[in-house]
Every structure is written in structure tokens, then in C-alpha cells.
Amino acid sequence: MNPANYLFLSALLFTIGAAGVLLRRNAIVVFMCVELMLNATNLAFVTFARMHGNYDGQIIAFFTMVVAAAEVVVGLSIIIAIFRSRRTASVDDANLMKW
Amino acid sequence: MSMASGGLSEGVVLAEQVTRTSTGEAVQFWVLATIAVLGALGTVFLKKAVHSALTLAATMVCLAIFYMAQGAVFLGIVQIVVYTGAIMMLFLFVLMLVGVSSADSLKETLRGQRVAAVLCGLGFGILLIAGIANASLGDFAGYGAGGVSPSGAVETDQEAVALINQGENVKGIAHLIFTRYLWAFEITSALLITAALGAMVLAHRERLTPRKTQRELSEERVRDNVNLAPLPAPGVYARHNAVDIPALLPDGSISELSVNATLRARGQVRDVSREPVHQVAELEESAEVWMEQRGDVPTARHEGEEAGPEADGTGEGAADVDPDEAGAERTDGDSVAAGAGSKESRS
């Protein structure tokens, strides 16, 4: 097996995540799909690190995880705040700024 | 083209040029990649958000094993602990808060959005994969002796190179984080503090009106003249004292006030009004039949009814008699006592 297969898997997972963001309406599921995309890029970073034989890719993946954790915390509290005021978690119903 | 020692146990590829991995790693890749892709598809296509979260967790565990197989042992552990352990559980918490039943609406607000999304996804995926296939990836350097690429600036630092050469994953990462990436690492702490504060601010709800004291509540009750006395307790005739069984009013209907509003909203109130009412009716019937057989008791009962209005006030039926009446009848026989006994045995 060629190690580049990890890159193909990463691209596939990223694509599935992106399609999920476009397809789903539940804000939490959309968020989970974003997490899936982040994980896919992390896999690509780790594979690149192995490819180049140094640890820089792993460090970047590590920072990605930190940023993802912060993002999840803020994003989920935004979802809760929206749910509290509108009683829904659907992204279609948050349309106050729609022109 | 030397062989790698891949797999979970060692995880570090000890070769300078790798174009093929070991058979073990290949088997592991194909098995786990299938699971990961299925999990990702499940995340997108499963209807319930909880199922999506679980399949996503499965995908993340697969990715963690991939990290370890590629020599990133530390990242693999962090992936399991932080992603699967913390972030996915946070997702589940929020799902429970928001409500598991909040299903996706199938209404299309934008015409043709689904088809366009699927087409966009397909096109994007084909482009991305074709791009990777066309890229000149070159040979994989892998970790190990001589595997350090000339692009890495760590070569100036003899210690990092030595650590990487020894295949010490955690030490190598720690060295890089605290030397070359120290500034980014410090910025990370600011980011985390800001995120925690932001989450608190966003999730905090300000109380706009002061909380009512008990005195104010009772004064309000008196002023409105609603529910002055305590609410009726749940349970029926001391037969049930469960909180989900409403109390019965004298006419046999249930008292809505006696059951918690939350239980009522959930539809978890047990309806028992029919059962005791039927039992009481049966009892009356059987008692009347029995008394007609005896012949003498109905007359006594009529006397009792004529004697005073309180005999009517008992209202429970033939078996429920006035103490005086019962005393009068006890001289005749044990008829009413037997009737009362049968009522108790039924109930």
C-alpha cells in the first residue's frame, strides 16, 4: 500500500464533511460535519509530517486540535443561545439578517 | 524500497525512502478506512443527531489509530482523549439540552439546494482526489535515521535531530513546541481563555426580574384568590400514592391540579379514575343484589335514609353505611360487616 492512500482518505473524509455542511439543517449536525473536516485535515497533516520526516506537520495538527476545541466551545454556546431565544436548532430558522 | 515496521506497536517507519508500507499497516488501513468512511457517511446521512454523533466518534477513533500507525503516538492519544472524550461528549450534552427529538426539517427553503449540494460535493471531491493523484508526492521520508528532510530547520538544533532520530515522538514534539513554536503555543493559551470566557458570556442568562420571595408568592395567591389552600395531593383513596396518579374528585373525575405539570406535559399521567369508579359501582351492584336476597336489609337502609340526610351524604353506596345503621344491623346479623369486608378485600 502506498502511504499516499492516507491523503486520499483524508480528501474523501473532507469531501463528505463538506457535503454534510451543505446538506444538513440541524446546526449541531452541521457542526459535527465541520469537526469531520478538521479531522480530515489533521490526518493529511500527520501524513505530510511522515512524508517529510519531521514533526512540523504533527505540531500543526496539534494546534488544529486546540483551535477546534475552542471553536466547539464557542460554537455550541452560540447554538444554545440561539435555541434559547428561538426554540429551534435549525439553521433555516435563524434568518433575522436575511434581506 | 526497504520494508517498514509499521503497525500499531512501533508505529515508526524506520526507512529513509518508503513507497510501500508493511502488509500489517495495509490491512489495518483498508479495514479502518472502510469504517471511517462509513462513519463519516453515517454522520451526514443518519436522521437522528445522536446517531450522527456516535458514528462521528467511531470515525475519530479510527483516525486516532491512523495517527499512531504513522508515528504520531502523542497525537493519537490526544485525539482519543480530547476529541472522542471531550468534544464529542460536549456535543452529546448540547444535544440533550437542545432536545434529542429536534429532527431535521425536510422542507427545502432554497429550491434545488440539495441537488446542488450533492453536485458540489461530488465535484469538489473529484477535483481534490485528482489533484492529490496528480501531485508529485515523491517518496515518503518516514521517521528514523537519515529520514530528517533538509527542509526542517531543526537540523540546526542537534538535540531535536537526535530525538527525532531516536524515534522519540513525545520528546520531539515537546522540543519543537517549546522552542520553535513557543510563540504560537503561548498565543494558544490566550485563545483558550478567550474561548472559555466567550462560552460563559454566551451561555449566561441574565435574570431580568428579581426572584419572588415566599411571602410575595403567598400574597399574590391571596390577592388573585387562586389556589389559596395547598394543591391537592396525588393518589387515590390511599390506594395509590404515586406522584403520577391524579387524585379523584368526589364525582369520580380526576383532579388535574394534583399532578405535576411536567408529568402532565410529558403525558406520563396514569389514568386510574375509571378503575376505582368501576370497582365502586360493581361493589354497589353486588351489595344490592345480596341485600335483595336477604330481603331485610333494604328496609333497614330505607329506614336509615328516612332517618336523616347524613345517610345520603355518605354517598359511597350500599356498603358504606352510617355507624348507627351499622350498629342497628349488627344485631340482625353480620350482613353489613360482610359487605364492608368484601369492599376492603376488593380494594
Side-chain angles (χ1 to χ4, degrees):
Chain A
M1 183 195 85
N2 194 333
N5 282 356
Y6 285 112
L7 294 179
F8 290 116
L9 175 66
S10 160
L12 190 56
L13 291 181
F14 190 92
T15 308
I16 294 174
V21 169
L22 293 176
L23 282 173
R24 296 299 296 258
R25 306 288 173 77
N26 190 334
I28 299 174
V29 180
V30 168
F31 224 62
M32 284 195 262
C33 291
V34 172
E35 290 302 310
L36 183 63
M37 290 160 77
L38 284 170
N39 268 282
T41 52
N42 271 354
L43 181 63
F45 276 130
V46 171
T47 310
F48 285 140
R50 182 191 190 185
M51 197 167 157
H52 290 291
N54 58 25
Y55 281 168
D56 290 323
Q58 291 190 23
I59 303 271
I60 293 178
F62 176 71
F63 282 126
T64 309
M65 282 186 189
V66 176
V67 173
E71 171 232 343
V72 162
V73 168
V74 175
L76 286 181
S77 54
I78 289 176
I79 288 177
I80 287 188
I82 290 178
F83 178 78
R84 211 179 259 155
S85 59
R86 315 197 69 126
R87 309 311 296 175
T88 175
S90 173
V91 288
D92 277 343
D93 294 332
N95 55 2
L96 266 186
M97 292 180 71
K98 192 175 167 189
W99 186 50
Chain B
M1 306 298 145
S2 55
M3 283 309 295
S5 72
L8 261 178
S9 56
E10 220 175 295
V12 178
V13 182
L14 299 168
E16 55 267 22
Q17 300 288 300
V18 183
T19 52
R20 297 192 65 77
T21 59
S22 67
T23 318
E25 191 178 346
V27 171
Q28 175 196 302
F29 176 82
W30 290 116
V31 171
L32 289 183
T34 314
I35 298 176
V37 170
L38 284 180
L41 288 174
T43 306
V44 175
F45 290 113
L46 282 183
K47 266 214 168 58
K48 286 194 172 174
V50 177
H51 296 167
S52 288
L54 291 180
T55 49
L56 183 58
T59 302
M60 284 174 172
V61 171
C62 289
L63 289 183
I65 297 173
F66 285 149
Y67 295 169
M68 292 188 214
Q70 299 206 71
V73 183
F74 177 69
L75 271 187
I77 300 292
V78 168
Q79 166 90 4
I80 288 182
V81 171
V82 173
Y83 259 113
T84 322
I87 293 184
M88 289 319 295
M89 291 312 114
L90 195 61
F91 268 109
L92 285 180
F93 272 134
V94 172
L95 271 181
M96 299 301 156
L97 273 181
V98 167
V100 179
S101 61
S102 62
D104 252 359
S105 66
L106 295 173
K107 183 171 62 83
E108 257 189 337
T109 34
L110 298 173
R111 185 181 297 278
Q113 190 244 355
R114 266 169 218 281
V115 181
V118 169
L119 285 181
C120 279
L122 274 181
F124 178 72
I126 290 171
L127 267 182
L128 201 58
I129 290 174
I132 292 174
N134 273 329
S136 60
L137 292 172
D139 289 331
F140 271 58
Y143 302 115
V148 183
S149 81
S151 66
V154 237
E155 276 107 308
T156 55
D157 199 336
Q158 294 299 317
E159 206 179 335
V161 176
L163 285 173
I164 292 174
N165 286 347
Q166 288 161 18
E168 289 265 10
N169 179 262
V170 178
K171 282 183 189 169
I173 283 183
H175 190 93
L176 276 181
I177 284 181
F178 289 109
T179 55
R180 211 158 116 204
Y181 292 95
L182 182 65
W183 181 236
F185 187 67
E186 295 290 339
I187 294 291
T188 295
S189 62
L191 173 74
L192 285 178
I193 289 181
T194 315
L197 272 179
M200 278 197 278
V201 168
L202 283 171
H204 181 68
R205 182 160 41 175
E206 199 72 39
R207 179 176 275 280
L208 297 174
T209 54
R211 193 188 197 92
K212 280 179 185 167
T213 62
Q214 205 166 6
R215 176 177 204 88
E216 283 168 344
L217 283 174
S218 73
E219 280 170 358
E220 192 176 288
R221 275 207 306 272
V222 173
R223 202 163 44 238
D224 298 344
N225 199 16
V226 177
N227 293 332
L228 269 180
L231 293 178
V236 179
Y237 298 151
R239 290 149 47 96
H240 307 279
N241 56 4
V243 288
D244 59 343
I245 294 183
L248 289 189
L249 296 174
D251 59 347
S253 62
I254 63 172
S255 162
E256 290 279 346
L257 283 176
S258 64
V259 183
N260 194 338
T262 308
L263 291 178
R264 241 181 297 148
R266 283 194 207 146
Q268 287 181 338
V269 174
R270 270 195 281 168
D271 182 26
V272 290
S273 61
R274 214 173 307 147
E275 183 194 358
V277 167
H278 275 303
Q279 281 185 1
V280 168
E282 264 177 33
L283 202 61
E284 272 182 39
E285 215 170 281
S286 64
E288 267 171 23
V289 167
W290 183 82
M291 281 185 285
E292 278 168 17
Q293 284 172 355
R294 283 291 297 247
D296 51 353
V297 184
T299 57
R301 191 178 170 223
H302 281 302
E303 283 167 14
E305 273 174 1
E306 286 158 12
E310 65 267 20
D312 277 337
T314 56
E316 261 304 305
D320 204 357
V321 286
D322 231 89
D324 308 345
E325 211 178 334
E329 279 161 4
R330 206 166 288 141
T331 55
D332 303 335
D334 54 353
S335 57
V336 179
S342 74
K343 184 193 176 187
E344 272 173 15
S345 68
R346 272 168 200 264
S347 52

